Amino acid sequence: MSKERTFIAIKPDGVQRGLIGEILNRFERKGFKLVALKQLIPSKALAEQHYGVHKDRPFFGGLVNFITSGPVVAMVWEGDEVISSARKIIGSTKPVEAEPGTIRGDLAINIGRNVIHGSDSPQTAEFEIQLWFQSSELNEWTPTDQIWRVEN
């Protein structure tokens, strides 16, 4: 197993619909460790960098406008194979294709309002974490249940 970190963001629609606790709960129940968390309204510059891979696509402006339209909850989660596991928890980008039990399958309305973003690879996770967080905002800590397992 590979311990890694991923970037997860609850988009403005998820924040405004009061889904923060529900989403956090799903990652916590899975056993992942939260190492950074903040709420902010992203600047246009941050949004353009975040969605830079789509800059030549016709929907780029809409993505930027939406993500900057209200508060976003930005997070970094850590755990064994957290990137691929988080993608499964999140579900397909298109909510209509997302399986029941996934965040998007249960909570998202449509592709333009799909509640959450998650990194899709280790390289993307590293880029997004550095884009959204300063290194001083990432907390290094050991959950007590891991300490208990070592002692026993």
Side-chain angles (χ1 to χ4, degrees), residues 135-146:
S135 60
S136 62
E137 296 176 298
L138 303 174
N139 297 291
E140 300 290 340
W141 61 283
T142 303
T144 54
D145 68 335
Q146 289 183 7

Side-chain angles (χ1 to χ4, degrees), residues 10-64:
I10 303 173
K11 297 177 182 180
D13 56 326
V15 173
Q16 292 179 23
R17 289 178 51 210
L19 301 175
I20 298 167
E22 165 80 17
I23 292 169
L24 285 169
N25 184 260
R26 291 183 187 217
F27 287 94
E28 287 181 323
R29 283 189 325 208
K30 184 69 176 175
F32 295 129
K33 180 173 80 171
L34 183 62
V35 297
L37 172 75
K38 65 181 172 182
Q39 180 176 317
L40 70 155
I41 297 175
S43 67
K44 184 175 181 181
L46 174 61
E48 287 175 342
Q49 285 183 278
H50 179 81
Y51 287 121
V53 297
H54 301 299
K55 68 182 173 204
D56 296 326
R57 311 225 24 211
F59 55 82
F60 177 72
L63 285 175
V64 170

Side-chain angles (χ1 to χ4, degrees), residues 14-142:
V15 173
Q16 292 179 23
R17 289 178 51 210
L19 301 175
I20 298 167
E22 165 80 17
I23 292 169
L24 285 169
N25 184 260
R26 291 183 187 217
F27 287 94
E28 287 181 323
R29 283 189 325 208
K30 184 69 176 175
F32 295 129
K33 180 173 80 171
L34 183 62
V35 297
L37 172 75
K38 65 181 172 182
Q39 180 176 317
L40 70 155
I41 297 175
S43 67
K44 184 175 181 181
L46 174 61
E48 287 175 342
Q49 285 183 278
H50 179 81
Y51 287 121
V53 297
H54 301 299
K55 68 182 173 204
D56 296 326
R57 311 225 24 211
F59 55 82
F60 177 72
L63 285 175
V64 170
N65 288 339
F66 175 62
I67 201 76
T68 60
S69 70
V72 168
V73 173
M75 302 171 277
V76 178
W77 290 90
E78 181 180 281
D80 293 331
E81 300 184 47
V82 70
I83 296 169
S84 59
S85 291
R87 301 290 293 175
K88 289 179 182 175
I89 292 168
I90 291 168
S92 176
T93 302
K94 296 180 181 178
V96 71
E97 296 173 2
E99 294 292 324
T102 65
I103 292 168
R104 289 181 177 147
D106 292 348
L107 306 173
I109 296 169
N110 60 48
I111 194 168
R113 301 293 178 264
N114 64 9
V115 178
I116 189 168
H117 165 84
S119 301
D120 62 4
S121 71
Q123 296 78 20
T124 303
E126 184 177 341
F127 169 76
E128 291 173 344
I129 291 167
Q130 291 177 3
L131 181 64
W132 288 79
F133 289 93
Q134 296 178 15
S135 60
S136 62
E137 296 176 298
L138 303 174
N139 297 291
E140 300 290 340
W141 61 283
T142 303

